[in-house]
Amino acid sequence: GESVGLHLPTLSVQEGDNSIINCAYSNSASDYFIWYKQESGKGPQFIIDIRSNMDKRQGQRVTVLLNKTVKHLSLQIAATQPGDSAVYFCAENAGGTSYGKLTFGQGTILTVHP
Amino acid sequence: KAGVTQTPRYLIKTRGQQVTLSCSPISGHRSVSWYQQTPGQGLQFLFEYFSETQRNKGNFPGRFSGRQFSNSRSEMNVSTLELGDSALYLCASMLEPSLYNEQFFGPGTRLTVL
């Protein structure tokens, strides 16, 4: 049968604004969460990670928040720049014997207008 | 340090053929994972190799197989290609299988099945 394409959520912001990208994860046993950025024609690039025993972690211009109660992850990008335009994925790792296995969310398209 | 390299970058095959994709991990990395990325299903885990052994496998038919060599380079093979196998195939390497180790992705091989 015909496959239905994923309709990725989109977020459109102005340069200099703050961006918030959300992700709902599926496995309550997941121990490790990562945000990736994927630009056109490239593989996913690591942005920031967070362990399940934390609820917030900050990097350069980025902050990740983890709410295990509702299985929700968010990525905040401060002072968004045109170079931040890309597809953003959250990924979870359940740990155990599955260290090399990441489960990805559907992705969010971020467009930054100059 | 060179990143993850994948060859070829683009490939066109016809239904029924088979294909082999190659991945060279970052020097010193011993774990290699493969993912399939399609508009319909997003990013999905195929399998992971460490020390020439498959550690984890995703939910893909037996037509998808892989292997890892003693130098950590990995190949994946898809036999009896179907139209639905058209996708971006991504390889990721990790120092060793550990929960908090970062996975570094290559640029991918774009496979088109006609």
Side-chain angles (χ1 to χ4, degrees), chain A residues 46-57:
Chain A
F46 175 94
I47 302 172
I48 191 169
D49 59 1
I50 188 167
R51 303 182 183 188
S52 61
N53 61 353
M54 305 169 70
D55 52 23
K56 179 179 180 178
R57 188 154 190 244

Side-chain angles (χ1 to χ4, degrees), chain B:
Chain B
K1 188 185 259 190
V4 177
T5 57
Q6 293 187 244
T7 56
R9 290 294 311 277
Y10 302 92
L11 206 47
I12 299 175
K13 292 285 188 179
T14 55
R15 278 182 299 175
Q17 288 187 308
Q18 74 164 18
V19 67
T20 300
L21 312 181
S22 181
C23 171
S24 293
I26 292 172
S27 178
H29 284 198
R30 299 166 61 201
S31 170
V32 173
S33 296
W34 288 88
Y35 296 83
Q36 181 197 64
Q37 186 174 25
T38 61
Q41 301 298 322
L43 270 154
Q44 291 188 295
F45 172 79
L46 279 157
F47 26 65
E48 179 209 358
Y49 287 88
F50 174 70
S51 291
E52 303 176 63
T53 301
Q54 187 181 88
R55 294 186 71 246
N56 288 289
K57 190 177 192 306
N59 295 324
F60 281 83
R63 300 185 298 107
F64 291 81
S65 63
R67 60 178 175 168
Q68 186 181 35
F69 302 95
S70 58
N71 62 356
S72 297
R73 192 177 68 84
S74 178
E75 290 181 345
M76 66 163 283
N77 185 78
V78 187
S79 62
T80 320
L81 283 165
E82 301 178 0
L83 295 179
D85 297 333
S86 293
L88 180 67
Y89 289 88
L90 292 159
C91 166
S93 78
M94 187 163 61
L95 197 58
E96 59 184 32
S98 174
L99 181 57
Y100 304 124
N101 274 348
E102 182 181 339
Q103 285 195 34
F104 295 83
F105 282 82
T109 294
R110 172 74 63 185
L111 172 65
T112 302
V113 182
L114 303 176

Side-chain angles (χ1 to χ4, degrees), chain A residues 8-111:
Chain A
L8 299 186
T10 60
L11 176 63
S12 186
V13 301
Q14 291 295 127
E15 182 177 2
D17 287 351
N18 295 331
S19 303
I20 299 177
I21 300 171
N22 297 300
C23 174
Y25 64 91
S26 56
N27 188 349
S28 57
S30 289
D31 283 332
Y32 181 48
F33 303 88
I34 312 103
W35 280 98
Y36 284 94
K37 170 187 180 183
Q38 187 175 25
E39 297 174 284
S40 182
K42 297 182 179 179
Q45 178 186 1
F46 175 94
I47 302 172
I48 191 169
D49 59 1
I50 188 167
R51 303 182 183 188
S52 61
N53 61 353
M54 305 169 70
D55 52 23
K56 179 179 180 178
R57 188 154 190 244
Q58 289 184 287
Q60 187 177 10
R61 284 202 305 120
V62 293
T63 300
V64 54
L65 299 178
L66 174 63
N67 185 330
K68 294 183 290 293
T69 303
V70 295
K71 294 191 287 186
H72 183 267
L73 202 62
S74 70
L75 176 70
Q76 301 177 2
I77 305 174
T80 317
Q81 302 166 2
D84 295 327
S85 295
V87 181
Y88 288 80
F89 294 94
C90 66
E92 58 185 295
N93 191 306
T97 58
S98 303
Y99 297 141
K101 176 182 177 181
L102 295 176
T103 301
F104 283 84
Q106 64 177 358
T108 296
I109 301 172
L110 174 64
T111 303

